[in-house]
Amino acid sequence: FPSLSGNENSEALPESIPSAPGTLPHFMEEPDDAYIIKSNPIVLRCKAMPAMQIFFKCNGEWVHQNEHVSEESMDESTGLKVREVFINVTRQQVEDFHGPEDYWCQCVAWSHLGTSKSRKASVRIAYLRKNFEQDPQGKEVPIEGMIVLHCRPPEGVPAAEVEWLKNEEPIDSNLDENIDTRADHNLIIRQARLSDSGNYTCMAANIVAKRRSMSATVVVYVNGGWSSWTEWSNCNARCGRGWQKRSRTCTNPAPLNGGAFCEGMSVQKITCTSLCPVDGNWEVWSEWSVCSPECEHLRVRECIAPPPRNGGKFCEGLSQESENCTEGLCIQDKKPLHEIKSQNIETASDIALYSGLGAAVLAVAVLAVGVTLYRRSQSEYGVDVIDSSALTGGFQTFNFKTVRQGNSLLLNSSLQPDLTVSRTYSGPICLQDPMDKELMTESSLFNPLSDIKVKVQSSFMVSLGVTERAEYHGKAHSGTFPHGNNRAFGTIHARNKATYIQNLSSISTRSELKTTAIFGHLGGRLVVPNTGVSLLIPHGAIPEEISWEIYLAITQKESSLQPEGTDVLLGPEVTCGPSDLSVSTPFALTIPHCAEVNSEHWNIHLKKRTQQGKWEEVMSVEEETTSCYCLLDPYACHILLNSFGTYALVGEPISDCAVRQLKVAVFGCLSCNSLDYNLRVYCMDNTPCAFQEVVSDERLQGGQLLEEPKLLHFKGNTFNLQISVLDIPPFLWRIKPFTACQEVPFSRVWCSSPKPLLCAFSLERYTPATTQLSCKICVRQVKGHEQILQIQTSILENERETIAFFAHEDSNFPAQMGPKAFKIPYSIRQRICATFDTPNAKGKDWQMLAQKTSINRNLSYFATQSSPSAVILDLWEARHQHDGDLDSLACALEEIGRTHSKVSDITETEIEEPDFSYSRQNGL
């Protein structure tokens, strides 16, 4: 029995032993293996019955009695003594032990008959190293191939358990029979599927910590496969030797995720011979037949000299001829033949005469009925109602459009205006409600106009005829930016095999991306040609008798704006100034952008550069503020500002579905070696200024635009861009091996803009006799949008078939001062403002005008202006600077009148008709 000091000296047993005679200690609880985590000690416990004493022995030595904590109790069922003992084992004790085996402890229990020993419990220090012994490696595997990712976790005690993650989500091999994670920590995918592409991570963990391996990217690709051959085409030669062809496409399957394109020919040709057609020819006429009782004889011929063969033409002309054989002297019914024929002619003449007279009478009756109906329809409204298309005429000298059918206020919409007259007429303008009759007829609203005609109806519409000269008209630019789907600067589709007239000289050079002009109280418009950037100075923004020299410029060097985080620059950096000037009325600045507008995918901000050169945020385009206003259109942002400076649009992608619109253009030219031909593929922001920069560079290099540019929707989903050259004619051209496909990292495409991205391909002719090049350029984002550009061009200067991109018609007039810069005549603009700036009980105020002109947010900005309607019209002018769509404005005003006439409780009979004599005297 051990002493208190732990030596081998024994002490006498107690005289009274409560345990049953003949019973050795039985362990009810033995010490368990344990791990020391960090510096926390562990507790070993032992429990035995019957037991007078229990002591621990560690590594063969007794533990001092003072280190034991003992508890004693009595088992109620047997009456035997039960003893439980605890000891602590520290990290220091385990580290100080150096033996051939792990640190161990066991307990020894005494009864009066002897001792019993428990199992040995090992105590180890738990840890987990940081570095994996083997990280998984990325792989590119074909579809249905086997994927094996190896993982050897870090050394640790206890041994680490391994778990696999795919795109940060745990993999449960029990749910997918195709995946096995049980084989020595490795991940095995028996048959790769497209969905198995992703980033895989090995996760190791024990009771101490968790460790992550390096991520391994697995790409499951699909090699392209040929489709079946099409049927052979017909022989291209109608006669003689020719050729016929068949084709196939690399779509069975199409290559995916970088898979190889199909090898071999996509087109096969074979020679063929067609039988030449033989046109038929007449044989000679037969002899005349015997004269018949009808005094006629005939002759015939056949088309057999030769007959038509192999699709030849049949003979033209008659196969039978007949004529009188008695020179009119034949007797029929006792009358000479010539008398019978003359009577028939007279009868036919009488019938024709009577028929003509009947038709004339019928036509006169129909005309009379038509005139009567026409006059009734005219009298229903009076002669003073004017075609609403004349609103367009009041705003513009021409560009009339057909009016919608069924409009009760429109008349004679099919008549075209005489463009030679010196005056035009204004159509319906939305003015005061009939309840405001006194204001309409007596207020100063109409005083400035010398010739006005008014027809008051129960609706809200009032037709105005303005006889003053519409001197403000600017020509409408149909099809120019930003109007249209592709916004390709008025792209002219006039192909004949691919024939265009190139007019790159109209594109401004880099040194011309700045415009300056002097403006006065009348305001005007400033445009940087062919860039989509413009500045509108409203009438009255500059004080009277003062002139300012205002400039508008685009930064051409690298922008000083460095977007933070995931932000990207969406358009050019634009400067307007001088910066020390301030205007009394907001001016409109238009900046093009390349984002596909969607508030769920983009958060777009307007930023301004301070005088210290730093950039600060002005506002978000979705923000409600009274300091400035941003209206985001599909291809441009129109900004109402009170101070000049340098501005830029920055976008923060909210989701992977955010789309940056890229324009893809292909240029080509001969290199120094006459057998070489260079193809240069540009991917640039879909803004006019980005395209202009590329055209300017290419013009200096002698480049030629080979195909009409196309639009590529590039998503912010981290997938790369692939550009490849396909279908190069074999035996005529060749391209350097392994260079036909180039891949551009996602970050370079997404973040490097607005600088254009260039990929160059070098082709070589086998012989100088080859003068034609036909191939395809494929530009695609992995798992995204794809565009194919068909190249078919001649490399000879005198045979080039070029592409034309005509500039805006205002490129020759970068500055327009005074009334001619605006689409809406100033007099009509005054009446619209007088009508809608005044609050109205029926809601016909500037807020309704904003709603009908597609302005539905941040109306508090307009409420702070002295004339909200004027600012709304300024914004309309900025949005419609290229199309001058006055019809839409007229329809909006008309719709306001039609909507609110329904709530009017005054009938037409309760309103006095005004006297039209004054209008009629003035020729209206």
Side-chain angles (χ1 to χ4, degrees), residues 19 23-31 45-56 70-75 78 80-85 107-111 114-118:
S19 56
T23 303
L24 288 175
H26 168 67
F27 286 100
M28 304 171 65
E29 184 176 350
E30 298 184 76
R45 65 183 65 207
C46 189
K47 187 175 182 181
M49 176 185 72
M52 295 186 303
Q53 287 290 350
I54 300 177
F55 285 96
F56 273 91
S70 178
E71 295 181 359
E72 185 176 304
S73 61
M74 185 74 67
D75 185 86
T78 62
L80 300 178
K81 185 182 294 184
V82 178
R83 182 174 294 276
E84 187 173 7
V85 178
C107 57
V108 182
W110 278 266
S111 70
T115 63
S116 298
K117 296 181 179 181
S118 72

Side-chain angles (χ1 to χ4, degrees), residues 432-447 456 906 911-912:
Q432 301 296 334
D433 190 89
M435 293 184 67
D436 307 319
K437 172 185 171 186
E438 181 180 354
L439 174 62
M440 281 195 303
T441 56
E442 299 179 5
S443 73
S444 60
L445 175 62
F446 300 127
N447 293 340
V456 181
I906 299 180
I911 302 175
E912 297 180 2

Side-chain angles (χ1 to χ4, degrees), residues 191-401:
Q191 288 184 321
R193 301 154 296 192
L194 288 176
S195 60
D196 292 324
S197 297
N199 295 321
Y200 289 84
T201 307
C202 183
M203 179 78 74
N206 66 2
I207 60 176
V208 178
K210 288 185 177 181
R211 306 284 185 227
R212 290 172 58 95
S213 71
M214 299 291 290
S215 292
T217 300
V218 172
V219 177
V220 180
Y221 62 86
V222 178
N223 290 325
W226 289 113
S227 65
S228 300
W229 288 102
T230 61
E231 296 294 332
W232 287 104
S233 64
N234 296 327
C235 197
N236 72 320
R238 186 167 178 264
C239 173
R241 187 178 179 83
W243 53 265
Q244 56 187 151
K245 67 177 182 179
R246 64 177 182 174
S247 61
R248 57 181 178 174
T249 57
C250 189
T251 56
N252 187 32
L256 287 175
N257 298 342
F261 287 94
C262 304
E263 296 182 359
M265 305 276 292
S266 62
V267 177
Q268 281 185 346
K269 289 185 179 181
I270 58 174
T271 59
C272 57
T273 302
S274 298
L275 296 175
C276 295
V278 177
D279 294 337
N281 197 13
W282 293 111
E283 65 174 349
V284 296
W285 286 102
S286 66
E287 295 294 332
W288 286 104
S289 66
V290 178
C291 198
S292 68
E294 289 79 18
C295 304
E296 289 184 342
H297 62 176
L298 57 85
R299 63 176 180 175
V300 296
R301 59 177 177 175
E302 294 185 16
C303 187
I304 56 174
R309 297 193 304 272
N310 305 327
K313 295 181 180 179
F314 195 81
C315 304
E316 295 182 358
L318 299 174
S319 63
Q320 179 177 310
E321 279 186 351
S322 63
E323 65 179 22
N324 186 274
C325 55
T326 63
E327 298 181 358
L329 301 178
C330 186
I331 301 299
Q332 284 187 342
D333 296 330
K334 301 180 182 180
K335 287 186 180 181
L337 183 61
H338 62 87
E339 294 183 8
I340 297 174
K341 290 188 175 180
S342 64
Q343 290 177 0
N344 293 339
I345 293 174
E346 291 176 0
T347 304
S349 299
D350 293 341
I351 294 174
L353 176 61
Y354 296 145
S355 300
L357 289 175
V361 172
L362 181 61
V364 170
V366 171
L367 180 61
V369 173
V371 170
T372 302
L373 293 177
Y374 176 77
R375 288 181 175 178
R376 287 184 180 179
S377 62
Q378 290 286 78
S379 62
E380 185 178 352
Y381 304 106
V383 296
D384 298 286
V385 181
I386 300 176
D387 181 1
S388 74
S389 65
L391 177 60
T392 309
F395 289 177
Q396 288 185 287
T397 311
F398 38 82
N399 192 22
F400 282 73
K401 297 187 178 180

